[in-house]
Every structure is written in C-alpha cells, then in structure tokens.
Amino acid sequence: MTAVLLSGGLDSAVLLADEGRRAEVQPVYVSVGLAWEAAERATLARLLDAIPTAHRVRPLVSLSLDMTDVYAAGHWALSGRPPAYDTPDEDVYLPGRNVTLLGKAAVYCALASIPRIVLGTLGANPFPDATPAFRRAIAGALSLGLDHPLEIDAPYASLGKAEIIRRGLALDVPFALTLSCMNPAPPPVVRHCGLCSKCRERHDAFLESGLPDPTDYADRRLVDAAPRGVDRA
C-alpha cells in the first residue's frame, strides 16, 4: 500500500495512476487554507471519478492543517494574487510546504499502517524541501517519532513536466480534469486563469511534449503568445 499526496495537478494525477498500476494506492489531500483549495477539491472529485478502473485507487482521504496563522495575512497564496505569468519558479516558494504535507500525511499513514508516501516532485523543483537529503531526513524523523517505518519517495524527481504528460497519456490520465493554477475560477465551473506562472508552466509543458493542451484557460492572451524557450513549429 502506498499513499499518494494528491493535489489534482498534472504531476500528482499521473503519479496516482502510475503507482496504481503496481499496488493499491491511498490518495491523500491535505488542506492548509490556501486560496485555490476549493477549486482543487472540486477538481479532485471529478478526477477520481474519471481515473481508469484498472488503477487500484482507494477513496480520497482529506486532511487539514491550518497554515493561515503562519503566513502573513496578505501573502499571495492566501489572498489569491499569485506571481505573474513570466515570474521565476522561486517566486512561488511556500516555506514549510512539504514539511506540512508530509507531517500530517505521515501521522495518518502510521495509524493506517501504510509504509510508503510518494509525492510528485519534479526535477526542476528549486526548493530546499524538494531534495533527496530532505526526504531522507524527514522520513527518518517521522519513522522515529511515530514508531512506524516510513519510506518517502519522489519517483519523478529526475523528470520534467513534459515527460510526465507523455507518461500520463499512456496511463489514460484525463488531463482536462487536472488543475495547475494558483488563481482558478471557483467551483462549480473551475477554470485555469491563464495568467499565473503555473498556467505558463503547464502550457509550455504540453507544447514541449508535442501533445495538445486540453486546458480551459479563462484568459488565453498569454498562453497563445510565443512561450519562453518552446518552439511552436
């Protein structure tokens, strides 16, 4: 049994389907109070209904750990004003993000006797809580503190998002039902904003993969312009 930290984004959706080919998986969503979480939860409901039945996926477990008392009241992740389309990845750093998600998920896994947690960290991730050293250290600390041997793995840590999209195609992942946006339109009609750096990252990855982008962008002005470092030809 493996627990998959699931946000509804491309990477974690493909990871869920990929892991589900080999063993039963437990998707886990951890809410911390960020501006886009209502859209994520709505996306997850549709996504999990559409995952092919060949993948052995248990019902979603939703956990919560409030971080709104840690981040400043005007923080972009709470206010719904994310970094703009062409800003670097470093601008979306959330201190303690993986510490929080893994800590809460690990307590659940210890009580449920689940020995492994995976998350969809990619090779380009520049943050300190996305490194092999961090994963080894936190797995050791959580295993010790919970008296429950726990492996924490990031199977895609050497891959880029375009490769993840190609894998997802082979796994029949419904890309149109995934969400990679920091300012999405709220439920019931969840749409990508088309103006944040996560939308840019998503669209560029589809272009690089050579596959059509099925995403519904509320504003297409930037995604339809020439992307950075991606050849449309």
Side-chain angles (χ1 to χ4, degrees):
M1 173 74 71
T2 292
V4 179
L5 285 180
L6 187 66
S7 67
L10 276 172
D11 311 326
S12 64
V14 175
L15 182 59
L16 181 73
D18 205 355
E19 292 288 327
R21 294 183 303 158
R22 293 180 285 271
E24 190 173 20
V25 291
Q26 174 61 72
V28 177
Y29 178 79
V30 182
S31 170
V32 301
L34 305 181
W36 54 83
E37 288 179 355
E40 280 186 339
R41 289 191 294 269
T43 296
L44 280 173
R46 294 192 293 269
L47 175 65
L48 290 169
D49 283 343
I51 289 287
T53 56
H55 305 304
R56 292 168 284 181
V57 179
R58 285 188 168 189
L60 179 70
V61 165
S62 293
L63 308 175
S64 62
L65 182 61
D66 185 24
M67 291 290 285
T68 60
D69 54 355
V70 176
Y71 299 141
H75 192 283
W76 61 266
L78 303 182
S79 67
R81 295 189 297 273
Y85 195 80
D86 283 322
T87 53
D89 289 344
E90 288 78 4
D91 285 3
V92 299
Y93 179 49
L94 290 171
R97 178 67 167 159
N98 284 341
V99 173
T100 303
L101 300 181
L102 289 168
K104 189 63 181 272
V107 176
Y108 170 81
C109 288
L111 295 175
S113 299
I114 297 174
R116 181 171 179 256
I117 302 175
V118 295
L119 65 167
T121 299
L122 300 187
N125 192 309
F127 305 133
D129 59 356
T131 62
F134 166 78
R135 290 189 292 274
R136 287 192 299 269
I138 197 166
L142 290 169
S143 297
L144 181 64
L146 293 166
D147 192 23
H148 172 70
L150 190 63
E151 177 188 357
I152 294 176
D153 193 13
Y156 297 161
S158 64
L159 303 178
K161 193 176 286 290
E163 174 59 25
I164 300 308
I165 289 172
R166 287 189 283 265
R167 287 192 178 206
L169 179 67
L171 293 165
D172 296 321
V173 172
F175 295 132
L177 299 181
T178 62
L179 178 68
S180 311
C181 180
M182 296 177 290
N183 190 26
V189 182
V190 175
R191 303 179 72 194
H192 287 69
C193 71
L195 300 174
C196 72
S197 62
K198 286 298 180 183
C199 284
R200 181 258 305 163
E201 180 184 70
R202 177 187 177 99
H203 184 62
D204 285 0
F206 272 106
L207 291 175
E208 184 182 345
S209 74
L211 298 171
D213 183 355
T215 309
D216 180 15
Y217 297 104
D219 189 322
R220 295 197 60 91
R221 287 173 296 171
L222 297 177
V223 299
D224 286 341
R228 302 181 309 172
V230 178
D231 186 1
R232 286 188 179 275

